[in-house]
Amino acid sequence: MAEQVVSGRPAISYVFGTSFAREQERLSVGERLWDPGTRSRLAALGIGLGTRCLEVGAGHGSIAGWLAEQGACVTAVDIDISRALWLRQHGIALHEADILRDGLPGAGYDVVHARLVVQHLADRESAVRRMVAALRPGGHLVLEDTDTATTLATADGVLRPRVRDAAYAVMAESGYHPRCGLLDVDLALAAGLLDVRAEGRAEVVTGGTPQGRWFALWLEHLRPAMVGRGLVSDAEVAAALADLADPGVRWLSQVMIAVTGRKGGDEQAA
Ligand SMILES: C[S@@+](CC[C@H](N)C(=O)[O-])C[C@H]1O[C@@H](n2cnc3c(N)ncnc32)[C@H](O)[C@@H]1O
């Protein structure tokens, strides 16, 4: 895992990844939570036969796989491709790279998509600029990152707010930004994109489902750090995990904000 210096102190560039034994499972249940919304937003761009797509921070790779199923010509990149090797059997070009250190593979893409990636990066501006540079003139960038305003909200308030806040406090140490979905709008505008649009979606999640498991794995991964720093007790985390496994408990996800913008420069050709 790459190390970077944020505000004079070393920080891991990504809070999950190889340090979490159940990262494969976490990525898979996250896909079940977020893929339907992502697919409909990408489909609206007219993905079809031969569309050149770059999936950045592909994770387990479901979106790269879905793009290929639509007939797109897909390249995927991640700092750790061990969970996405299956993509190669579907004709997808898979590259292992740290997008901040190594850059992005290829250029001239019709669509570049990154979900739940920019919010973890120390240098978000540079990452977005690189994604825009990888687009052809007229191509589209789609950034999806979360806003945590609604995370674990229930009809009665917030489920285990101390645990929720402790988890975000630990994540912030590695450069994670809790309102990155909103920041992405400014990043897209600053990178010179045109027709920038943004909208958010929050999912209603039920305890004990695969989607609910995504939240449980999030807390399980951060549990040692949250408890070790004295932010919450182990019993508080255990109580939160019991809630998240209870089919009678329902909560709101984060708001997933999808920002779409078009790279200029193709006006004369149009
Ligand atoms: C939260 S996961 C999201 C995975 C996938 N985009 C999804 O939504 O299911 C973040 C992904 O970004 C990758 N990642 C984090 N930092 C990266 C970097 N600097 N360069 C390339 N990939 C990175 C991680 O390895 C991980 O697969």
Side-chain angles (χ1 to χ4, degrees), residues 16-247:
F16 295 98
T18 50
S19 63
F20 186 41
R22 277 169 293 170
E23 180 64 357
Q24 165 79 43
E25 183 189 358
R26 198 187 71 88
L27 288 168
S28 297
V29 291
E31 291 174 345
R32 291 184 67 162
L33 177 63
W34 297 117
D35 277 10
T38 296
R39 287 198 297 258
S40 64
R41 279 147 189 89
L42 290 173
L45 294 175
I47 307 286
L49 195 63
T51 308
R52 295 194 65 220
C53 297
L54 175 64
E55 178 68 7
V56 178
H60 174 248
S62 63
I63 291 300
W66 177 81
L67 290 166
E69 274 173 29
Q70 310 315 300
C73 180
V74 184
T75 299
V77 60
D78 201 287
I79 200 169
D80 176 0
I81 59 169
S82 64
R83 301 172 192 96
L85 294 172
W86 65 277
L87 292 174
R88 287 188 170 142
Q89 292 160 19
H90 298 266
I92 293 167
L94 182 63
H95 296 262
E96 187 159 271
D98 178 335
I99 63 165
L100 293 177
R101 194 188 56 200
D102 310 318
L104 293 169
Y109 292 101
D110 299 305
V111 175
V112 174
H113 172 248
R115 183 180 71 189
L116 298 169
V117 178
V118 173
Q119 64 189 29
H120 292 289
L121 299 177
D123 189 348
R124 289 176 254 279
E125 290 81 3
S126 162
V128 173
R129 271 200 309 274
R130 284 170 187 228
M131 291 184 216
V132 172
L135 286 169
R136 69 161 170 81
H140 286 88
L141 176 66
V142 182
L143 296 177
E144 292 187 287
D145 283 298
T146 52
D147 186 298
T148 58
T150 53
T151 312
L152 298 184
T154 70
D156 303 318
V158 175
L159 192 68
R160 310 285 169 186
R162 277 173 48 81
V163 177
R164 181 200 114 120
D165 293 349
Y168 284 134
V170 170
M171 289 174 72
E173 291 176 18
S174 68
Y176 168 81
H177 196 297
R179 315 299 303 262
C180 190
L182 284 173
L183 274 188
D184 283 353
V185 180
D186 297 311
L187 292 170
L189 291 169
L193 290 178
L194 307 175
D195 304 332
V196 173
R197 291 177 291 110
E199 45 92 25
R201 63 186 190 276
E203 303 288 341
V204 177
V205 185
T206 300
T209 60
Q211 290 81 356
R213 183 89 184 117
W214 189 64
F215 292 82
L217 289 169
W218 168 56
L219 296 185
E220 283 180 17
H221 175 51
L222 298 173
R223 185 179 196 162
M226 289 191 280
V227 175
R229 284 160 178 72
L231 298 172
V232 283
S233 69
D234 199 60
E236 285 177 280
V237 182
L241 290 171
D243 285 344
L244 299 180
D246 181 346

